[in-house]
Amino acid sequence: MHTYSLKRWLLLSTGWLAIILAAAGVILPLLPTTPFVLLAACCFMKSSPAAHQRLLQHPKLGPILLDWQQHRCIRRDVKLKAFAVIVLSFSLSIYLAPHPHLKLMLLAIGLIVFGCMYRLPERN
């Protein structure tokens, strides 16, 4: 197998795995969605222009990815929705956690995720 085709295959595989993990992250509160979508976009950009274009044309993900690629920021409404999802999902997880140390761990992770999202540059 040529080096180019091996590299392309690895990037494509990583991109599709990232998409699967991003989809799981929509449901699972501790699995982040956004970094996996960004990873998939990066992998597809280097391995499959068609897959990259499909991702950019996605009605929900496309505008967010374009904002990030072109301006290195996210829109304020996207950030506010992300805050709401973080608070709701971590609150539910903390409520359902059976042990106090798990509740504290979830609280710490939630605060870190919230802080990382807060620090991202935004545009109106």
Side-chain angles (χ1 to χ4, degrees), residues 46-62:
K46 296 177 184 221
S47 65
S48 173
H52 184 250
Q53 194 59 35
R54 281 195 307 265
L55 201 54
L56 291 177
Q57 291 174 344
H58 187 277
K60 296 285 185 192
L61 302 176

Side-chain angles (χ1 to χ4, degrees), residues 90-111:
F90 276 94
S91 295
L92 179 62
S93 297
I94 290 167
Y95 176 75
L96 295 174
H99 302 291
H101 65 279
L102 289 176
K103 291 178 187 289
L104 285 173
M105 182 190 70
L106 286 167
L107 179 62
I109 293 171
L111 290 172

Side-chain angles (χ1 to χ4, degrees), residues 11-27 31-44 51-52 54-56 58 61-62 65:
L11 285 169
L12 272 172
S13 299
T14 303
W16 285 113
L17 177 62
I19 290 294
I20 291 167
L21 292 172
V26 171
I27 300 164
L31 192 63
T33 300
T34 305
F36 289 118
V37 172
L38 293 174
L39 175 63
C42 181
C43 289
F44 290 153
H52 184 250
R54 281 195 307 265
L55 201 54
L56 291 177
H58 187 277
L61 302 176
L65 288 170

Side-chain angles (χ1 to χ4, degrees), residues 29-30 32 34-35 74 76 78-91 94 105-122:
L30 291 179
T34 305
I74 60 174
R76 179 172 289 146
V78 171
K79 196 178 213 183
L80 292 175
K81 288 175 189 173
F83 285 149
V85 170
I86 291 167
V87 169
L88 288 172
S89 63
F90 276 94
S91 295
I94 290 167
M105 182 190 70
L106 286 167
L107 179 62
I109 293 171
L111 290 172
I112 291 168
V113 171
F114 194 92
C116 290
M117 179 61 68
Y118 179 79
R119 293 187 68 208
L120 288 177
E122 65 181 59

